[in-house]
Coordinates of all heavy atoms in Angstrom, one line a residue:
N1 N -14.8 3.8 -13.6 CA -13.8 4.6 -14.3 C -12.4 4.3 -13.7 O -11.9 4.9 -12.8 CB -14.1 6.1 -14.1 CG -13.2 7.0 -14.9 OD1 -12.3 6.4 -15.6 ND2 -13.4 8.3 -14.9
R2 N -11.8 3.2 -14.3 CA -10.5 2.7 -13.7 C -9.4 3.8 -13.8 O -8.7 4.0 -12.8 CB -10.1 1.5 -14.6 CG -8.8 1.0 -14.3 CD -8.5 -0.3 -15.1 NE -8.5 -0.1 -16.5 CZ -9.4 -0.8 -17.3 NH1 -10.2 -1.7 -16.8 NH2 -9.3 -0.6 -18.6
R3 N -9.4 4.5 -14.8 CA -8.3 5.6 -15.0 C -8.5 6.8 -14.1 O -7.7 7.3 -13.4 CB -8.2 6.0 -16.4 CG -7.2 7.2 -16.7 CD -5.8 6.7 -16.6 NE -5.4 5.8 -17.6 CZ -4.2 5.3 -17.8 NH1 -3.2 5.7 -17.0 NH2 -3.9 4.4 -18.8
G4 N -9.8 7.2 -14.0 CA -10.1 8.4 -13.3 C -10.2 8.3 -11.8 O -9.7 9.1 -11.0
T5 N -10.8 7.2 -11.3 CA -11.1 7.0 -9.9 C -10.6 5.7 -9.3 O -10.9 5.3 -8.2 CB -12.6 7.2 -9.6 OG1 -13.3 6.2 -10.4 CG2 -13.1 8.6 -9.9
G6 N -9.9 4.9 -10.1 CA -9.5 3.6 -9.7 C -8.0 3.5 -9.3 O -7.6 3.5 -8.2
I7 N -7.2 3.6 -10.4 CA -5.7 3.5 -10.2 C -5.1 4.7 -9.7 O -5.6 5.9 -10.0 CB -5.0 2.9 -11.4 CG1 -5.0 3.9 -12.6 CG2 -5.5 1.6 -11.9 CD1 -4.2 3.6 -13.8
L8 N -3.9 4.6 -9.0 CA -3.1 5.8 -8.7 C -2.0 5.7 -9.7 O -1.0 5.0 -9.5 CB -2.6 5.7 -7.3 CG -3.7 5.6 -6.2 CD1 -3.2 5.2 -4.8 CD2 -4.5 6.9 -6.1
N9 N -2.1 6.5 -10.8 CA -1.4 6.3 -12.0 C 0.1 6.4 -11.8 O 0.9 5.7 -12.5 CB -1.9 7.3 -13.1 CG -1.5 6.9 -14.5 OD1 -1.8 5.8 -14.8 ND2 -1.0 7.9 -15.2
C10 N 0.6 7.3 -10.9 CA 2.0 7.5 -10.9 C 2.7 6.6 -9.8 O 3.9 6.7 -9.6 CB 2.3 9.0 -10.5 SG 1.5 9.5 -8.9
L11 N 1.9 5.7 -9.2 CA 2.5 4.8 -8.1 C 2.7 3.4 -8.6 O 2.2 3.1 -9.7 CB 1.6 4.9 -6.9 CG 1.4 6.2 -6.2 CD1 0.5 6.2 -5.0 CD2 2.8 6.8 -5.8
S12 N 3.3 2.6 -7.8 CA 3.7 1.3 -8.1 C 2.5 0.3 -7.9 O 1.5 0.7 -7.3 CB 4.9 0.8 -7.4 OG 4.5 0.7 -6.0
I13 N 2.7 -0.9 -8.4 CA 1.6 -1.9 -8.2 C 1.5 -2.2 -6.6 O 0.5 -2.3 -6.1 CB 2.0 -3.2 -8.9 CG1 1.9 -3.0 -10.4 CG2 1.1 -4.4 -8.4 CD1 2.5 -4.1 -11.2
K14 N 2.7 -2.1 -5.9 CA 2.7 -2.3 -4.5 C 1.9 -1.3 -3.8 O 1.0 -1.6 -3.0 CB 4.1 -2.3 -4.0 CG 4.2 -2.4 -2.5 CD 5.6 -2.3 -2.0 CE 5.7 -2.3 -0.5 NZ 7.1 -2.3 0.0
D15 N 2.1 0.0 -4.2 CA 1.3 1.0 -3.5 C -0.2 1.0 -3.9 O -1.0 1.2 -3.0 CB 1.9 2.4 -3.9 CG 3.3 2.7 -3.2 OD1 3.5 2.2 -2.1 OD2 4.1 3.4 -3.8
N16 N -0.4 0.7 -5.1 CA -1.8 0.6 -5.5 C -2.6 -0.6 -4.8 O -3.8 -0.4 -4.5 CB -1.9 0.4 -7.0 CG -2.0 1.8 -7.7 OD1 -3.0 2.3 -8.0 ND2 -0.8 2.2 -8.1
T17 N -1.9 -1.6 -4.6 CA -2.5 -2.7 -3.9 C -2.5 -2.5 -2.4 O -3.5 -2.7 -1.7 CB -1.8 -4.1 -4.2 OG1 -1.7 -4.3 -5.6 CG2 -2.4 -5.3 -3.5
G18 N -1.4 -2.1 -1.8 CA -1.3 -2.0 -0.4 C -1.9 -0.8 0.3 O -2.1 -0.8 1.5
I19 N -2.3 0.2 -0.5 CA -2.7 1.5 0.1 C -4.0 1.2 1.0 O -4.2 2.0 2.0 CB -3.1 2.5 -1.0 CG1 -3.3 3.9 -0.4 CG2 -4.3 2.1 -1.8 CD1 -3.3 5.0 -1.3
S20 N -4.8 0.2 0.7 CA -6.0 0.0 1.5 C -5.7 -0.6 2.9 O -6.6 -0.6 3.8 CB -7.0 -0.9 0.7 OG -6.4 -2.2 0.5
V21 N -4.5 -1.1 3.1 CA -4.1 -1.8 4.3 C -2.9 -1.2 5.0 O -2.5 -1.7 6.0 CB -3.9 -3.3 4.1 CG1 -5.2 -4.0 3.7 CG2 -2.8 -3.6 3.1
Y22 N -2.4 -0.1 4.5 CA -1.2 0.5 5.1 C -1.3 0.8 6.5 O -0.4 0.6 7.3 CB -0.7 1.7 4.3 CG 0.1 1.4 3.1 CD1 0.4 2.4 2.1 CD2 0.6 0.1 2.8 CE1 1.2 2.1 1.0 CE2 1.3 -0.1 1.7 CZ 1.7 0.9 0.8 OH 2.4 0.6 -0.3
N23 N -2.5 1.3 6.9 CA -2.7 1.7 8.3 C -2.7 0.5 9.2 O -2.6 0.6 10.4 CB -4.0 2.5 8.4 CG -4.0 3.9 7.9 OD1 -2.9 4.4 7.8 ND2 -5.1 4.5 7.6
D24 N -3.0 -0.7 8.7 CA -3.0 -1.9 9.5 C -1.6 -2.6 9.7 O -1.5 -3.5 10.4 CB -4.0 -3.0 8.8 CG -5.4 -2.5 8.7 OD1 -5.8 -1.7 9.6 OD2 -6.1 -2.8 7.8
Y25 N -0.7 -2.1 8.9 CA 0.7 -2.6 9.0 C 1.7 -1.6 9.3 O 2.6 -1.2 8.4 CB 1.0 -3.4 7.6 CG 0.2 -4.7 7.5 CD1 -1.1 -4.5 6.8 CD2 0.6 -5.9 8.1 CE1 -1.9 -5.7 6.7 CE2 -0.2 -7.0 7.9 CZ -1.5 -6.9 7.2 OH -2.2 -8.0 7.1
L26 N 1.7 -1.0 10.4 CA 2.6 0.0 10.9 C 3.4 -0.5 12.0 O 2.9 -1.2 13.0 CB 1.8 1.3 11.3 CG 1.1 2.0 10.2 CD1 0.2 3.2 10.9 CD2 2.0 2.6 9.2
K27 N 4.7 -0.2 12.1 CA 5.5 -0.6 13.2 C 5.6 0.7 14.1 O 6.0 1.8 13.6 CB 7.0 -0.9 12.7 CG 7.1 -2.2 11.9 CD 8.5 -2.4 11.4 CE 8.7 -3.7 10.7 NZ 10.0 -3.9 10.2
A28 N 5.4 0.5 15.3 CA 5.4 1.7 16.3 C 4.5 2.8 15.8 O 4.8 4.0 16.1 CB 6.9 2.1 16.5
H29 N 3.5 2.5 15.0 CA 2.5 3.5 14.6 C 3.1 4.5 13.6 O 2.4 5.5 13.3 CB 1.9 4.2 15.7 CG 1.2 3.3 16.7 ND1 0.1 2.5 16.4 CD2 1.6 2.9 18.0 CE1 -0.2 1.8 17.5 NE2 0.7 2.0 18.4
I30 N 4.3 4.3 13.2 CA 4.9 5.3 12.3 C 5.6 4.8 11.0 O 5.8 5.5 10.1 CB 6.0 6.2 13.1 CG1 7.0 5.4 13.7 CG2 5.3 7.1 14.1 CD1 8.2 6.2 14.2
M31 N 5.9 3.5 11.0 CA 6.7 3.0 9.9 C 6.0 1.8 9.3 O 5.4 0.9 10.1 CB 8.1 2.5 10.4 CG 9.0 3.6 10.8 SD 10.6 2.9 11.5 CE 11.2 2.1 10.1
L32 N 6.0 1.7 8.0 CA 5.3 0.6 7.3 C 6.1 -0.7 7.5 O 7.3 -0.7 7.4 CB 5.1 0.9 5.8 CG 4.2 2.0 5.4 CD1 4.3 2.3 3.9 CD2 2.7 1.6 5.8
D33 N 5.4 -1.8 7.7 CA 6.0 -3.1 7.8 C 6.1 -3.7 6.4 O 5.2 -4.5 5.9 CB 5.1 -4.0 8.7 CG 5.9 -5.3 9.1 OD1 6.7 -5.6 8.4 OD2 5.5 -5.9 10.1
H34 N 7.2 -3.3 5.7 CA 7.3 -3.7 4.3 C 7.3 -5.2 4.1 O 6.7 -5.7 3.1 CB 8.5 -3.0 3.7 CG 8.3 -1.6 3.5 ND1 7.4 -1.0 2.5 CD2 8.8 -0.5 4.2 CE1 7.5 0.3 2.6 NE2 8.2 0.7 3.6
P35 N 8.0 -6.0 4.9 CA 8.0 -7.5 4.6 C 6.6 -8.1 4.6 O 6.2 -8.8 3.7 CB 8.8 -8.0 5.7 CG 9.8 -7.0 6.1 CD 8.9 -5.7 6.0
K36 N 5.7 -7.7 5.5 CA 4.4 -8.1 5.5 C 3.5 -7.6 4.4 O 2.7 -8.4 3.7 CB 3.7 -7.8 6.9 CG 4.2 -8.6 8.0 CD 3.4 -8.2 9.3 CE 4.0 -9.0 10.5 NZ 3.3 -8.7 11.8
I37 N 3.7 -6.3 4.0 CA 3.0 -5.8 2.9 C 3.5 -6.4 1.6 O 2.6 -6.7 0.7 CB 3.2 -4.3 2.9 CG1 2.6 -3.6 4.1 CG2 2.7 -3.6 1.6 CD1 3.0 -2.1 4.3
N38 N 4.8 -6.7 1.5 CA 5.3 -7.3 0.3 C 4.6 -8.7 0.1 O 4.4 -9.1 -1.1 CB 6.8 -7.4 0.3 CG 7.5 -6.1 0.2 OD1 6.9 -5.1 -0.2 ND2 8.8 -6.0 0.5
K39 N 4.5 -9.4 1.2 CA 3.9 -10.8 1.0 C 2.4 -10.7 0.6 O 2.0 -11.5 -0.3 CB 3.9 -11.5 2.4 CG 3.5 -12.9 2.3 CD 3.6 -13.7 3.6 CE 3.3 -15.1 3.4 NZ 2.1 -15.5 2.6
I40 N 1.7 -9.7 1.1 CA 0.3 -9.5 0.7 C 0.3 -9.2 -0.8 O -0.6 -9.8 -1.6 CB -0.4 -8.4 1.5 CG1 -0.6 -8.9 2.9 CG2 -1.8 -8.1 0.9 CD1 -1.1 -7.8 3.9

């Protein structure tokens, strides 16, 4: 069910793609490393 349990409808492509790895790309454990996430 792509609409119901797949996409995060109100968020961007970046957030929908990167949400699974956000915890792996943190600066000082509190800030997202956006350049690395953008490349992914």
